[in-house]
Amino acid sequence: MTTTIYPRIVRSGDQALAIEFSDTVSEAANRQVLALDRSLAQAPLPGTCETIPTYRSLTVIYDPRQIRGNALGLELLRRVQQEETGIVPPGRLFSFPVHYGGAHAADLRELAEMKQLSVEAVIDLHLAAEYRVYMIGFAPGFAYLGGLAETLHTPRLAVPRQRIEAGAIGIGGRQTSINSVPGPSGWRFLGRTPYRLFNPLRRDPFLLKAGDRIRFRAIEADEAAALDASAGSSDFTLEPLTGRDAT
């Protein structure tokens, strides 16, 4: 039996490397990913073009005319060894309004029955946690959120639905999520936020980034409808919580 030693370098085509910190999903590994990503943003290695953080690895795209893959891999490992790469400052903290129930909560009642809880108890559990954006992916701006209460951990549907709307709040396995664009999904859905994670017309098309934190707050249908107009505009901005609001 061979034991894999982390971090390790894995080739990803002829212009990218992935540096992996673990073979499982964990907050510790994700912090190492984000810390290295931050370090490379502050002091880029020559020849690197772009970085892509995921749950447990960081993909680094490079220009092979400026640096060879083997040399870059050694430089990445050296950077990890030289720095305290597990240390990252707390991410921005946002409050996200959610209308639980209604047309976008196709699985809320069934989920409550599965857990032998009331619908209100499921909502309370979902509201109680502070979530961390582990990564952005699958679709533009799609946010994978860690921190879901273990009671709500639930497998995805055996047969995905063909269309789920943007803003839908889902549960898949040990994670919760916010849909960024309409599309198919096998997650189980509890409600919807009026906020748009992706809008190509905004100055910054992506509302969230890896390392951000989220607290959900419940709102009624009329407030959600009122927020839809402002949140959908191209000049919509979202300010992080600060001071007492962030405690």
Side-chain angles (χ1 to χ4, degrees):
M1 181 176 176
T2 303
T3 301
T4 303
I5 299 175
Y6 295 96
R8 69 169 185 169
I9 301 295
V10 178
R11 288 194 172 276
S12 183
D14 60 359
Q15 297 183 38
L17 298 176
I19 178 167
E20 296 182 341
F21 290 91
S22 175
D23 61 348
T24 59
V25 173
S26 74
E27 183 171 341
N30 190 248
R31 286 187 179 281
Q32 289 182 296
V33 170
L34 298 181
L36 179 59
D37 189 39
R38 181 168 176 265
S39 173
L40 293 175
Q42 293 175 337
L45 292 172
T48 56
C49 306
E50 182 180 358
T51 57
I52 305 171
T54 72
Y55 270 98
R56 61 182 183 86
S57 68
L58 182 71
T59 298
V60 180
I61 299 172
Y62 64 95
D63 183 348
R65 296 170 299 182
Q66 299 185 47
I67 190 169
R68 308 302 294 178
N70 288 340
L72 176 59
L74 292 173
E75 290 296 331
L76 291 173
L77 292 173
R78 186 174 296 120
R79 178 70 67 91
V80 171
Q81 292 169 354
Q82 289 175 344
E83 301 190 12
E84 296 179 281
T85 54
I87 300 175
V88 289
R92 303 174 299 174
L93 177 61
F94 296 106
S95 174
F96 264 61
V98 178
H99 176 226
Y100 291 93
H104 300 284
D107 303 294
L108 179 56
R109 189 163 298 281
E110 181 180 357
L111 186 65
E113 292 173 355
M114 290 171 62
K115 304 298 181 184
Q116 298 184 324
L117 297 170
S118 66
V119 166
E120 291 74 19
V122 169
I123 294 171
D124 287 344
L125 276 172
H126 194 257
L127 284 169
E130 180 177 295
Y131 299 96
R132 187 159 177 269
V133 180
Y134 270 22
M135 63 175 283
I136 302 294
F138 169 68
F142 184 98
Y144 289 87
L145 307 178
L148 182 68
E150 187 172 351
T151 303
L152 296 182
H153 293 184
T154 310
R156 293 171 175 80
L157 298 171
V159 179
R161 296 186 176 91
Q162 293 304 299
R163 183 182 172 95
I164 297 296
E165 298 301 326
I169 305 297
I171 286 177
R174 298 186 300 169
Q175 309 160 89
T176 190
S177 67
I178 308 170
N179 263 34
S180 57
V181 295
S185 177
W187 294 51
R188 299 172 190 267
F189 290 92
L190 316 181
R192 174 182 173 272
T193 178
Y195 290 173
R196 315 286 203 276
L197 295 193
F198 175 68
N199 183 343
L201 301 179
R202 275 196 310 248
R203 182 176 181 181
D204 185 354
F206 301 99
L207 210 56
L208 298 173
K209 62 182 181 181
D212 286 341
R213 296 171 293 149
I214 286 178
R215 292 175 188 164
F216 292 122
R217 62 181 176 88
I219 60 173
E220 298 298 327
D222 54 350
E223 184 178 353
L227 285 171
D228 266 329
S230 59
S233 67
S234 60
D235 58 357
F236 175 76
T237 58
L238 182 60
E239 295 297 328
L241 299 177
T242 58
R244 295 182 61 182
D245 291 338
T247 60

